[in-house]
Amino acid sequence: MTDVSENMNETRTADLRVRPATIEDRPAVERLWLMFRHDMSEYQGGLPAADGTFRSERLESAFTGDGWAPYLLTLGDHLVGFAFVRGLDGPVRVLNSFFVVRGARRGGVGLRAVQEVLRRHPGRWEVAFQRDNAGGAAFWHRVAQEVAPGAWSRTERAVPGRPSLPADLWLSFTVRR
């Protein structure tokens, strides 16, 4: 078994694969979801339930909801993340959740993976992230500039039902065929 974390700054993304997640992948995606929610708890304030799980409505919707598509990210034989897209049945697609494990970050994996997901669904897109998440903000601004150079916008929107949280930042852009 190889250690994916070795020399991540020089990671070659040639082995990166983005594919639709199937129902058979759900247990693995659920484990990745726990890591994602743990990371996001720093910005969203969520705590795990008594059984150690986090809220998972979006995970459920990704696999069963109309207009949703879950994707699994792999690097060679290693699971490295997931992406959930919603709004495929409407005029604007939303990258609802996107996660890359820490050991695969900063080597181009995230950028390449998100570009692949976006290209699969050309059209208008929106991506939200937490204002206090400096690393996420830098990443998403880079994504917007890569996929829609100079043709993207940023707005602030209140988090629905969570008035105690700072507003989320939303990027809007169009992905061409």
Side-chain angles (χ1 to χ4, degrees):
M1 184 172 180
T2 60
D3 182 359
V4 173
S5 64
E6 291 177 11
N7 301 319
M8 281 313 295
N9 290 334
E10 297 176 15
T11 295
R12 294 191 179 116
T13 58
D15 289 339
L16 179 67
R17 185 168 172 226
V18 176
R19 65 171 176 81
T22 66
I23 197 66
E24 290 80 21
D25 296 318
R26 184 163 174 168
V29 175
E30 288 174 350
R31 288 187 288 277
L32 292 168
W33 177 258
L34 291 174
M35 290 183 256
F36 168 69
R37 294 299 303 155
H38 174 262
D39 275 4
M40 291 297 98
S41 70
E42 179 177 355
Y43 309 105
Q44 297 174 339
L47 297 174
D51 66 356
T53 62
F54 287 90
R55 292 180 57 180
S56 59
E57 293 90 349
R58 285 183 282 163
L59 172 70
E60 181 65 28
S61 293
F63 280 91
T64 63
D66 291 336
W68 284 76
Y71 290 95
L72 191 62
L73 317 177
T74 60
L75 190 58
D77 295 335
H78 301 275
L79 295 178
V80 295
F82 65 83
F84 297 162
V85 176
R86 68 177 165 87
L88 294 175
D89 53 357
V92 179
R93 294 119 188 85
V94 176
L95 193 54
N96 181 271
S97 301
F98 182 79
F99 175 70
V100 173
V101 298
R102 290 176 183 254
R105 294 179 189 171
R106 300 196 191 353
V109 170
L111 179 60
R112 183 154 164 253
V114 77
Q115 288 172 320
E116 175 64 28
V117 170
L118 297 173
R119 275 194 293 267
R120 289 174 184 230
H121 307 284
R124 292 179 37 214
W125 277 90
E126 292 186 333
V127 177
F129 55 92
Q130 296 70 35
R131 183 180 0 171
D132 295 339
N133 182 351
F139 174 76
W140 290 114
H141 285 105
R142 181 173 175 212
V143 167
Q145 189 59 30
E146 291 279 337
V147 299
W152 54 275
S153 63
R154 185 179 86 177
T155 58
E156 282 195 19
R157 296 183 200 163
V159 179
R162 307 281 303 271
S164 63
L165 293 179
D168 281 342
L169 298 177
W170 286 77
L171 300 183
S172 300
F173 49 83
T174 299
V175 175
R176 308 275 179 220
R177 288 197 185 271

